[in-house]
């Protein structure tokens, strides 16, 4: 058993005194969290929580363990930090998670900006979806991340919220490709490629809700985490997709009328410190300048008129 990992989980449950809230904060399902706490109790030979249908309370053994567990977890984090410095000739490491679809230009700009802002720092970027980033931040395996909202994770500090208004990617032979822009309802029942629910639960549900609200009910939803796979499905005519402008033979990108979709992103970290706070400031600047994101609430003005051909707003 990974004792430190189990103690991390125990600390969160002890702070929340609610397995559902603790699971949401950790970005994991409740059943495996309950199983790991039970396994920790079996390993230690004591009961840590009194559970009932109405409440969860720490036992005396749980209260005694909580202080020690926090200390052990902090010491383990300190050991990792020291080893990272030792392995890098004394330079500090900064472990950052980024979404798989952030884009090569934004990734390169983020690395360059972090190195410029703090030359001794050794930023290490890892491709990771929001659900995995939330778990890794809770476990101390990441120092910071760029996550999508709604993330549903407590215990994290968030940087300024940025918004990305995606357009729609269509097969080049789709009749809608003839228009300069597309209303969501124009997509009718076309199948949709979307980030997987298990990796981006908040964005997945919010996007489908916004689609239904604006008259688009996809006939089928195909999960895809990586941009190239998504483009392949669009090129083949299997489905349409939402995302930033893409230049790809066989695919046409069109803006969505009225910007009905708003994908929100921010930097996040669990343990405050100069390095991660510098990362948060740099990430905001890079995402604005290299990923087409804007400040939350800075809505773009767009003229709306009726499109005679479909009777929908255009």
């Amino acid at each position: 058993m990974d004792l430190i990992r189990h103690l991390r989980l125990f600390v969160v449950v002890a702070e929340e005194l609610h397995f559902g809230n603790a699971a949401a904060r950790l970005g994991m399902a409740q059943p495996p969290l309950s199983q790991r706490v039970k396994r920790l109790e079996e390993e230690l030979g004591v009961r840590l929580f009194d559970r009932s249908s109405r409440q969860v309370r720490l036992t005396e053994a749980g209260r005694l363990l909580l202080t020690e567990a926090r200390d052990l977890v902090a010491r383990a984090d300190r050991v990792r930090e020291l080893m990272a410095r030792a392995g890098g000739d004394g330079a500090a490491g900064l472990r950052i998670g980024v979404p798989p679809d952030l884009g090569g230009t934004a990734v390169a700009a983020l690395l360059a900006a972090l190195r410029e802002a703090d030359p001794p720092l050794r930023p290490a970027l890892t491709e990771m979806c929001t659900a995995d980033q939330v778990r890794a931040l809770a476990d101390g395996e990441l120092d910071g991340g760029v996550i999508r909202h709604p993330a549903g994770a407590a215990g994290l500090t968030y940087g300024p919220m940025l918004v990305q208004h995606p357009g729609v990617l269509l097969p080049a032979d789709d009749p809608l490709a003839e228009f300069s822009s597309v209303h969501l309802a124009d997509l009718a029942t076309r199948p949709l490629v979307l980030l997987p629910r298990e990796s981006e639960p908040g964005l997945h549900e919010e996007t489908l809700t916004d689609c239904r609200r604006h008259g688009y009910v996809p006939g089928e939803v195909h999960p895809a985490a990586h941009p190239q796979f998504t483009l392949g499905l669009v090129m083949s005519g299997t489905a349409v997709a939402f995302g930033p402008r893409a230049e790809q033979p066989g695919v046409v990108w069109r803006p969505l009328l009225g910007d009905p979709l708003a994908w929100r992103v921010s930097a996040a970290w669990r343990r405050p410190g100069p390095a991660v706070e510098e990362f948060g400031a740099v990430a905001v600047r890079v995402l604005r300048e290299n990923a087409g994101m804007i400040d939350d609430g800075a809505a773009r003005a767009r003229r709306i008129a009726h499109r005679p051909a479909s009777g929908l707003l255009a």
Side-chain angles (χ1 to χ4, degrees):
M1 184 180 71
D2 183 340
L3 181 59
I4 295 298
R5 178 176 175 78
H6 282 69
L7 289 176
R8 287 185 195 279
L9 302 181
F10 161 73
V11 168
V12 175
V13 176
E15 291 173 350
E16 296 290 339
L17 291 179
H18 189 288
F19 277 82
N21 292 345
R25 177 172 157 184
L26 291 162
M28 63 188 298
Q30 184 174 335
L33 175 61
S34 299
Q35 292 166 9
R36 289 177 186 176
V37 170
K38 184 178 180 182
R39 188 177 176 193
L40 179 63
E41 291 178 320
E42 292 171 350
E43 180 75 15
L44 299 177
V46 295
R47 193 156 49 86
L48 300 172
F49 295 100
D50 282 327
R51 306 166 176 84
S52 71
S53 59
R54 292 187 174 182
Q55 62 180 351
V56 176
R57 295 187 303 175
L58 279 169
T59 63
E60 182 58 27
R63 282 191 287 273
L64 289 172
L65 178 62
L66 182 56
T67 301
E68 296 298 325
R70 283 175 170 151
D71 183 60
L72 287 169
V73 169
R75 286 172 178 269
D77 290 341
R78 178 61 177 160
V79 167
R80 285 197 179 95
E81 182 180 339
L82 287 173
M83 293 304 99
R85 287 174 181 271
D89 297 328
L94 188 68
R95 303 159 298 173
I96 301 297
V98 297
D101 60 340
L102 186 60
T105 301
V107 168
L110 182 57
L111 280 169
L114 287 170
R115 289 167 180 156
E116 182 180 357
D118 189 354
L121 197 65
R122 293 184 299 106
L125 268 56
T126 301
E127 185 183 79
M128 199 178 289
C129 66
T130 292
D132 288 341
Q133 285 194 51
V134 169
R135 278 194 292 271
L137 286 166
D139 288 348
E141 296 169 359
L142 282 180
D143 300 305
V146 177
I147 66 173
R148 295 190 180 281
H149 293 271
L156 298 180
T157 300
Y158 298 104
M161 195 79 74
L162 299 177
V163 173
Q164 180 181 41
H165 293 293
V168 61
L169 295 160
L170 302 161
D173 59 357
D174 191 299
L176 291 176
E178 297 179 4
F179 295 96
S180 60
S181 55
V182 173
H183 193 288
L184 270 181
D186 292 341
L187 297 173
T189 60
R190 285 170 172 80
L192 173 67
V193 190
L194 193 59
L195 291 165
R197 177 183 279 111
E198 60 271 20
S199 61
E200 301 289 346
L203 179 142
H204 185 101
E205 293 300 330
E206 194 168 81
T207 299
L208 291 180
T209 298
D210 287 340
C211 286
R212 288 192 291 270
R213 182 181 299 125
H214 290 274
Y216 171 39
V217 181
E220 195 173 356
V221 178
H222 301 272
H226 295 280
Q228 289 303 313
F229 185 67
T230 297
L231 287 173
L233 292 180
V234 176
M235 288 170 62
S236 69
T238 302
V240 301
F242 299 126
R245 182 185 296 274
E247 303 292 338
Q248 178 78 25
V251 173
V252 172
W253 181 88
R254 293 289 181 266
L256 288 169
L257 281 166
D259 292 331
L261 303 181
W263 288 357
R264 291 168 289 147
V265 170
S266 78
W269 55 91
R270 182 168 177 76
R271 300 181 187 283
V276 291
E277 289 165 8
E278 179 74 34
F279 151 70
V282 167
V284 168
R285 175 165 55 83
V286 167
L287 293 174
R288 283 178 183 147
E289 295 175 356
N290 296 276
M293 297 185 188
I294 59 177
D295 294 332
D296 192 13
R300 293 179 294 186
R302 184 180 290 276
R303 187 175 67 84
I304 305 294
H306 285 283
R307 175 183 294 164
S310 64
L312 301 171
L313 291 175

